[in-house]
């Protein structure tokens, strides 16, 4: 994260159905108790422009979308989110919790789509403006479990409708990425209870709060 940023930036990553939304709400309550003003956002989305781009990316009628097109659309949505929401919030000393950030592109487009991790980060280097999370929570879940959960929740979008082998590449991709940056990306077993997962997250977040 850039030197002049006064806030805390935490991203939550993991396969579809890993329980990110639930843990984000619990983390929000924890940080509010510590006196932080919280900004919760999601990717793709989080601004009017980014949400419009999200509707294009996830539209199941656009099955012909090219992988590079997909990657560039994600980067475009991210660029607007950083400019409009994340950067101003961090400069104001707020705590930002994002449901996915640039690591999701490294996994979904870089690894699962085969574009390459380095390519994914290069594309997004302009979008993130030098801003990276101080902490990334990786909720690790077997692909089949995650998709089964999603099928029970709602109608699936274009990404969720991908074949199971794609989702398996995503799950494994997150594990590989976490192994490459263990100081920032902390892996938690998402098959544990909600309370146990939250407790692990708090353990990782506390050092940032104490700074």
């Amino acid at each position: 994260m850039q030197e002049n940023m006064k806030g805390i930036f935490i991203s939550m990553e993991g396969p579809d159905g890993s329980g990110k939304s639930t843990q984000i709400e619990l983390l929000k309550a924890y940080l509010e108790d510590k006196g932080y003003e919280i900004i919760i956002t999601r990717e793709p989305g989080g601004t009017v422009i980014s949400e419009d781009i999200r509707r294009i990316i996830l539209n199941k009628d656009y099955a012909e979308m090219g992988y590079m097109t997909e990657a560039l659309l994600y980067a475009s949505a991210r660029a607007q989110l950083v400019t409009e929401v994340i950067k101003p919030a961090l400069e104001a000393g707020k705590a930002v919790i994002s449901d996915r950030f640039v690591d999701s592109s490294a996994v979904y487009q870089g690894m699962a789509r085969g574009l390459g991790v380095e390519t994914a980060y290069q594309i997004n280097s302009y979008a993130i403006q030098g801003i990276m999370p101080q902490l990334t929570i990786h909720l690790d879940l077997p692909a089949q479990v995650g998709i089964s959960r999603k099928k029970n929740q709602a109608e699936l979008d274009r990404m969720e409708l991908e074949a199971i082998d794609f989702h398996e590449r995503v799950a494994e991709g997150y594990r590989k990425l976490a192994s490459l940056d263990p100081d920032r990306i902390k892996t938690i077993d998402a098959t544990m209870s909600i309370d146990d997962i939250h407790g692990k997250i708090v353990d990782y977040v506390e050092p940032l709060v104490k700074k």
Side-chain angles (χ1 to χ4, degrees), residues 127-172:
I128 65 174
Q129 301 176 47
I131 296 172
M132 283 290 285
Q134 292 130 298
L135 171 67
T136 296
I137 300 295
H138 162 222
L139 297 178
D140 186 22
L141 189 72
Q144 189 65 61
V145 176
I147 290 302
S148 295
R149 288 179 180 179
K150 295 299 289 187
K151 285 180 178 177
N152 291 331
Q153 290 173 10
E155 183 180 357
L156 300 183
D157 62 37
R158 188 179 66 87
M159 300 295 283
E160 292 163 349
L161 283 168
E162 287 284 351
I164 189 62
D165 65 321
F166 172 80
H167 294 288
E168 287 171 348
R169 291 196 300 273
V170 167
E172 183 57 33

Side-chain angles (χ1 to χ4, degrees), residues 11 13-14 43 67 70-72 74-75 78 100-125 128 132-133 136 159 166 169-181 184-185:
S11 62
E13 296 278 0
E43 286 208 341
Y67 296 166
E70 182 181 278
L72 291 169
Y74 272 108
R78 183 168 295 125
R100 303 195 185 282
F101 195 58
V102 67
D103 297 313
S104 63
S105 284
V107 170
Y108 278 81
Q109 285 74 51
M111 295 184 183
R113 295 297 199 201
L115 294 181
V117 172
E118 186 176 339
T119 298
Y121 281 129
Q122 283 178 340
I123 290 169
N124 282 277
S125 63
I128 65 174
M132 283 290 285
T136 296
M159 300 295 283
F166 172 80
R169 291 196 300 273
V170 167
E172 183 57 33
Y174 271 118
R175 295 177 194 123
K176 289 180 180 177
L177 199 68
S179 72
L180 295 174
D181 194 356
R184 176 176 64 87
I185 305 175

Side-chain angles (χ1 to χ4, degrees), residues 190-206:
T191 65
M192 296 192 303
S193 73
I194 290 172
D195 288 343
D196 285 345
I197 295 170
H198 176 61
K200 292 278 189 183
I201 291 174
V202 167
D203 288 342
Y204 290 129
V205 172
E206 275 188 337

Side-chain angles (χ1 to χ4, degrees), residues 29-144:
Y30 166 79
L31 288 172
E32 283 177 337
D33 286 343
K34 298 295 182 181
Y36 283 93
E37 184 177 345
I38 315 299
I39 301 294
I40 292 179
T41 192
R42 70 173 182 174
E43 286 208 341
T47 74
V48 172
I49 293 170
S50 301
E51 290 290 338
D52 278 351
I53 296 172
R54 178 188 181 91
R55 281 187 279 275
I56 295 171
I57 293 173
L58 300 182
N59 190 329
K60 63 184 180 181
D61 294 331
Y62 296 160
E64 72 276 15
M65 185 180 294
Y67 296 166
M68 183 58 73
T69 303
E70 182 181 278
L72 291 169
L73 284 171
Y74 272 108
S76 296
R78 183 168 295 125
Q80 187 64 28
L81 180 63
V82 169
T83 296
E84 191 174 334
V85 176
I86 294 177
K87 188 175 180 181
L90 294 174
E91 288 174 343
K94 299 174 184 178
V96 176
I97 308 170
S98 185
D99 185 343
R100 303 195 185 282
F101 195 58
V102 67
D103 297 313
S104 63
S105 284
V107 170
Y108 278 81
Q109 285 74 51
M111 295 184 183
R113 295 297 199 201
L115 294 181
V117 172
E118 186 176 339
T119 298
Y121 281 129
Q122 283 178 340
I123 290 169
N124 282 277
S125 63
Y126 301 98
I128 65 174
Q129 301 176 47
I131 296 172
M132 283 290 285
Q134 292 130 298
L135 171 67
T136 296
I137 300 295
H138 162 222
L139 297 178
D140 186 22
L141 189 72
Q144 189 65 61

